[in-house]
Amino acid sequence: MIHAEDAAVTYRNGVHGITGVTIDIDPGEFVFIVGSSGSGKSTFMKTLLKEVELSDGEIYVGGTDLRTIRHRELPYFRRKMGVVFQDFRLLPNKTVYENVAFAMRVTESAGRDIRRYVPAVLSMVGLAKKARAYPHQLSGGEQQRCSLARAIVNKPPLLLADEPTGNLDPDTAWEIMDLLEDINKTGTTVIIATHAKEIVDTMQQRVIALKNGRVIRDIQRGGYYDED
Ligand SMILES: Nc1ncnc2c1ncn2[C@@H]1O[C@H](COP(=O)(O)OP(=O)(O)OP(=O)(O)O)[C@@H](O)[C@H]1O
Ligand SMILES: [Mg+2]
């Protein structure tokens, strides 16, 4: 699903976001990207969406070479992926239902599929009763569940989540992680950048640790600080 080799990003001001990052992720994996603030987690996630350009190395996502993908293919490429951010990024003037339906509409899904599938996804994330609510009427956890629903409604092969629990209390954070695990069980590859040490330690999944933009650890199953 992901093949990154010697990937490097140097920002315009000369700061190195990531350096020499080599990571392979198979379809269906569940992966935590961990590391302290400024270690390069978000930079790596953004390179996977080509929101940030590589200055060296190569990255393939689902077989697509991000160095040579055409500019006009990028919106389609990004829409195929599910993306969840810490700050939710919901459309404020649309209801929960409309936010999720909108994600299907931009991929030109049939109206019949939208009417059938949006309610199913909303009940999967526990938001069936809030379908008519607007984002400002929701709690933080509910907003994040809505953004998850939006990210998975098109059944993406890959789901990227950057600090999806960053603004949430511990119980709600666990609900979101459980949902991400459920989504992974349906076959979606899930990559989560997070600081949530307790959750990473408990879930015992693959952990890739970054420090100063470099991979310092990559273990198949373990906790936040575990060594091989
Ligand atoms: N747009 C940018 N321009 C210049 N430097 C940047 C930019 N974005 C990030 N950086 C720098 O790149 C490095 C990696 O930042 P990044 O945001 O990837 O870290 P992070 O691991 O996601 O941190 P956090 O846990 O705080 O979200 C940092 O030194 C940061 O200051
Ligand atoms: Mg970050």
Side-chain angles (χ1 to χ4, degrees):
M1 182 60 66
I2 308 284
H3 171 70
E5 195 159 327
D6 274 329
V9 170
T10 304
Y11 288 106
R12 281 203 194 96
N13 57 3
V15 171
H16 298 293
I18 53 173
T19 309
V21 167
T22 297
I23 291 175
D24 282 282
I25 295 174
D26 288 333
E29 281 201 79
F30 188 104
V31 183
F32 286 118
I33 309 284
V34 306
S36 56
S37 183
S39 58
K41 303 181 298 294
S42 296
T43 301
F44 177 66
M45 302 295 263
K46 286 177 190 162
T47 61
L48 299 179
L49 291 161
K50 209 175 176 176
E51 282 181 14
V52 164
E53 290 276 349
L54 285 180
S55 25
D56 207 356
E58 58 184 42
I59 294 190
Y60 289 78
V61 175
T64 300
D65 184 344
L66 294 194
R67 291 169 307 180
T68 57
I69 185 171
R70 293 209 181 91
H71 200 70
R72 62 182 159 82
E73 290 167 343
L74 267 181
Y76 175 73
F77 167 79
R78 287 180 183 142
R79 269 188 241 124
K80 274 194 307 185
M81 287 198 239
V83 183
V84 177
F85 299 97
Q86 178 173 10
D87 58 1
F88 319 135
R89 300 194 193 179
L90 298 171
L91 300 167
N93 55 349
K94 290 191 189 293
T95 65
V96 164
Y97 181 95
E98 289 162 355
N99 262 280
V100 180
F102 185 73
M104 289 188 78
R105 214 164 286 131
V106 295
T107 55
E108 285 158 24
S109 303
R112 181 166 34 93
D113 292 338
I114 295 176
R115 285 188 295 276
R116 190 171 49 196
Y117 204 54
V118 173
V121 170
L122 287 180
S123 48
M124 177 182 175
V125 301
L127 277 185
K129 288 191 179 138
K130 299 278 183 177
R132 289 161 184 272
Y134 286 87
H136 74 270
Q137 298 170 319
L138 301 176
S139 71
E142 289 166 344
Q143 290 183 55
Q144 191 57 299
R145 280 188 269 152
C146 182
S147 76
L148 252 180
R150 184 181 55 182
I152 61 173
V153 75
N154 290 317
K155 302 182 184 150
L158 176 62
L159 182 72
L160 301 176
D162 194 355
E163 303 279 0
T165 63
N167 285 326
L168 306 176
D169 68 74
D171 285 348
T172 314
W174 266 112
E175 284 173 28
I176 296 295
M177 284 297 178
D178 286 343
L179 274 172
L180 286 164
E181 209 170 38
D182 290 346
I183 292 159
N184 173 247
K185 284 182 185 138
T186 69
T188 299
T189 309
V190 175
I191 305 178
I192 306 168
T194 185
H195 285 127
K197 181 179 177 310
E198 263 192 50
I199 289 178
V200 173
D201 284 344
T202 307
M203 286 178 77
Q204 294 289 303
Q205 296 278 5
R206 181 170 172 194
V207 179
I208 298 173
L210 298 178
K211 187 177 181 181
N212 298 328
R214 294 177 183 276
V215 176
I216 54 162
R217 216 179 318 121
D218 183 351
I219 50 177
Q220 276 307 316
R221 275 187 174 272
Y224 203 98
Y225 290 119
D226 290 356
E227 301 288 342
D228 266 322

